[in-house]
């Protein structure tokens, strides 16, 4: 009996030590990555300050690459191409150095000490920098890999856009390929410029309104489904479930998938929620209704009914009200606003992008109708000739 107890104690000790080693490895890896990114920043700064430019400067960079590889044979990352990327990295973000005095002014004393903020003279020009790298980039930058950074500063049009992708990639765990897909889909532009449609300001408590708004997008990109022709709603749902990992990445941080065609009952009648999720930050059930066509006002009443049943039958006592998202191929913002006006449950309406759009679908339908009319008219003409 004592031996069994010792075995259990040993297993517990082993689990704790393994967990400690793993967490320490993550911390060490983050520190190494942070140091490497800062080193690349400083190398880029040196190249910029020495006036190394593409063209005549190529021979300098090629020689520098060869000498660095010789000096540090066990280190990678000193190819000519990567050295140019370090220079571009520094030049892209250093555009905001001139904004540092304004940024520093709003920091409290603890933050100033923690960042070892630069000292400025009367002309507000930089005299000494200790942690300018940290001041310019969001804190997530030190966690993100260099390959992620290359994608971001090469394809972003502004520092604000780049910071958005840095923060999102870390928060949502985007791989480099997933990050590239979001950049191609202009996730930044859509998140900032397009209005969102919901009734959260009237249907949710004050402390949940902003959080609920943050989790809703105006438009969702579903290119990852690989759909190239019109499909039915159940087929769209099936495709999403097949690639639920990618759909969760598109939804954003905090979503946990519960199931599809989730059954709700009232009396002798059953109702089915297309996709049901739980959001960890909001602590709310999230019901998603999929539609392959344009938004119709009756969709809101249906979702309102589903949310009432979820709150009564599924929601736990310590959870917040359930939230609905109606995902359509297209929507008219005025029609959505009118439909949501007197609804008491929190509902958002968004559209989605596919390679095969709603307009394509409508054109196919019109062509089929025209073909059917032509065939029918030809048949009638033949009958009349007989």
């Amino acid at each position: 009996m004592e031996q069994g107890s010792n075995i259990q104690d040993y297993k517990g000790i082993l689990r704790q030590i393994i967990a400690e080693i793993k967490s320490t490895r993550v911390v060490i890896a983050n520190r190494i990555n942070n140091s490497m990114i800062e080193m690349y920043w400083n190398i880029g700064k040196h190249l910029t300050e020495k006036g190394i430019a593409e063209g005549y400067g190529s021979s300098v960079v090629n020689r520098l690459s060869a000498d660095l590889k010789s000096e540090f044979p066990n280190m990678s990352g000193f190819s000519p191409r990567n050295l140019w990327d370090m220079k571009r990295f520094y030049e892209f973000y250093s555009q905001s150095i001139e904004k540092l005095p304004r940024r520093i002014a709003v920091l409290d004393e603890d933050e100033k000490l923690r960042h070892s903020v630069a000292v400025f003279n009367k002309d507000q020009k930089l005299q000494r920098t200790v942690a300018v790298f940290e001041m310019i980039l969001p804190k997530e930058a030190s966690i993100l890999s260099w390959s992620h950074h290359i994608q971001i500063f090469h394809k972003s049009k502004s520092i604000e856009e780049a910071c958005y992708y840095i923060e999102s990639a870390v928060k949502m765990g985007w791989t480099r390929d997933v990050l590239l897909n979001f950049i191609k889909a202009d996730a930044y532009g859509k998140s900032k410029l397009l209005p969102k449609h919901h009734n959260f300001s009237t249907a949710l408590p004050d402390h949940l309104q902003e959080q609920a708004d943050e989790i809703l997008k105006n438009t969702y990109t579903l290119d990852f489904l690989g759909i190239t022709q019109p499909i039915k709603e159940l087929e769209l749902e099936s495709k999403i479930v097949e690639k639920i990992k990618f759909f969760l990445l598109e939804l954003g941080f905090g979503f946990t998938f519960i199931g599809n065609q989730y059954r709700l009952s009232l009396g002798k009648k059953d109702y089915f929620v297309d996709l049901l999720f739980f959001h960890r930050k909001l602590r709310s059930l999230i019901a998603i209704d999929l539609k392959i066509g344009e938004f119709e006002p009756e969709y809101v009443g249906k979702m309102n009914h589903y949310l009432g049943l979820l709150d009564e039958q599924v929601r736990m006592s310590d959870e917040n009200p359930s939230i609905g998202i109606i995902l359509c191929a297209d929507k008219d913002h005025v029609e959505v606003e009118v439909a949501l006006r007197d609804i008491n449950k929190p509902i958002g309406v968004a559209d989605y992008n596919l390679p095969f759009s709603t307009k394509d679908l409508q054109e196919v339908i019109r062509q089929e109708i025209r073909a059917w009319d032509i065939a029918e008219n030809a048949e009638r003409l033949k009958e009349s000739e007989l």
Side-chain angles (χ1 to χ4, degrees), residues 169-200:
V170 172
K171 187 176 182 182
M172 300 180 196
W174 292 345
T175 63
R176 187 179 61 177
D177 290 340
V178 171
L179 167 65
L180 182 58
N181 286 333
F182 277 100
I183 293 175
K184 285 182 177 179
D186 191 22
Y188 170 76
K190 290 171 183 175
S191 70
K192 299 298 179 184
L193 301 178
L194 297 176
K196 299 177 184 180
H197 299 102
H198 57 69
N199 65 343
F200 298 157

Side-chain angles (χ1 to χ4, degrees), residues 125-137:
K125 291 181 180 178
L126 193 60
Q127 290 292 315
R128 177 174 60 86
T129 61
V130 180
V132 176
F133 170 77
E134 293 181 22
M135 292 299 299
I136 292 175
L137 295 175

